[in-house]
């Protein structure tokens, strides 16, 4: 999966790595610093276990 960048508050480009965001009501849990295959596997497993769809945003 390709890496993406965004601009920080100073306007500099910052690389954004893959992450998995889990929402529980209004609480957001971010899983970062995992490799792409690990995140994809975890997202698939959680989606199946919770019986919810998982969407990938780029």
């Amino acid at each position: 999966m390709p890496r993406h960048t965004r601009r920080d508050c100073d306007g500099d480009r910052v690389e954004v790595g893959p992450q998995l965001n889990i929402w529980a009501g209004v609480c957001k849990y971010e899983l970062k610093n995992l490799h792409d295959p690990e995140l994809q596997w975890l997202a698939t497993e959680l989606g199946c276990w919770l019986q919810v769809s998982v969407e990938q945003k780029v």
Side-chain angles (χ1 to χ4, degrees), residues 5-54:
T5 60
R6 65 171 179 81
R7 299 225 182 246
D8 65 11
C9 59
D10 295 325
D12 298 324
R13 286 187 176 266
V14 178
E15 184 175 295
V16 178
Q19 70 182 46
L20 177 64
N21 297 326
I22 300 172
W23 286 92
V26 296
C27 296
K28 180 180 179 182
Y29 300 92
E30 297 178 346
L31 299 175
K32 301 179 182 181
N33 300 323
L34 296 172
H35 297 285
D36 292 335
E38 294 169 320
L39 284 173
Q40 291 174 1
W41 172 82
L42 185 55
T44 301
E45 290 296 316
L46 287 171
C48 289
W49 182 61
L50 295 170
Q51 298 180 347
V52 297
S53 61
V54 176

